[in-house]
């Protein structure tokens, strides 16, 4: 039989998810390291990179997207309200809120899909 080429799609998506996770969580770790100051920045950045890789490997694309949106919105809002010196604080807080909301929204979407699947006649 001829190969359709679909075997290579899943590993490419997995690598993209991992890279997305490393980029997002590495940025969040760096922001946390900037806020904490001192020698903690390499540790916070490294922890963010590792966590991002693991989350990306597990397929947490919606979660990572919510953190990215939270980071951008939090940083923008802090810039507008407090000025450019507080962007990192606002972005860190926005990332935390984005992660929290992302988990809640994901849970609700999963519950909705399970109810739809369990309903009589639902596919």
């Amino acid at each position: 039989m001829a190969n359709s080429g679909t075997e290579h799609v899943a590993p490419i998506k997995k690598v993209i998810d991992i890279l997305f996770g490393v980029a997002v969580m590495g940025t969040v770790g760096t922001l946390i390291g900037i806020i904490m100051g001192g020698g903690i920045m390499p540790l916070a950045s490294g922890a963010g990179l590792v966590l991002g890789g693991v989350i990306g490997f597990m397929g947490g694309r919606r979660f990572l997207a919510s953190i990215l949106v939270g980071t951008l919105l939090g940083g923008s809002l802090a810039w507008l309200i407090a000025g450019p010196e507080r962007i990192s604080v606002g972005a860190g807080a926005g990332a935390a809120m984005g992660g929290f909301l992302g988990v809640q929204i994901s849970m609700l979407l999963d519950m909705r899909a399970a109810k739809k699947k369990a309903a009589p006649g639902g596919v």
Side-chain angles (χ1 to χ4, degrees):
M1 285 194 185
N3 289 336
S4 61
T6 58
E7 296 85 22
H8 299 292
V9 174
I12 291 173
K13 284 186 176 183
K14 184 71 75 176
V15 169
I16 290 172
D17 285 347
I18 291 170
L19 292 176
F20 183 52
V22 166
V24 170
M25 294 301 284
T27 302
V28 172
T30 302
L31 290 169
I32 291 170
I34 289 171
I35 292 169
M36 294 181 79
I40 199 77
M41 187 162 151
L43 181 65
S45 298
L49 292 171
V50 170
L51 285 172
V54 170
I55 292 169
F57 179 75
M58 292 173 55
R61 187 180 303 160
R62 287 189 297 197
F63 175 69
L64 292 167
S66 68
I67 290 176
L68 178 64
V69 170
T71 303
L72 295 174
L73 290 176
S76 300
L77 187 60
W79 183 23
L80 290 172
I81 292 174
E85 63 275 358
R86 296 291 179 211
I87 291 175
S88 59
V89 175
M97 287 301 298
F100 173 75
L101 292 173
V103 167
Q104 300 303 315
I105 291 169
S106 180
M107 181 186 67
L108 292 173
L109 289 173
D110 290 344
M111 284 176 43
R112 181 176 177 227
K115 282 183 183 180
K116 207 178 226 186
K117 188 176 182 182
V123 178

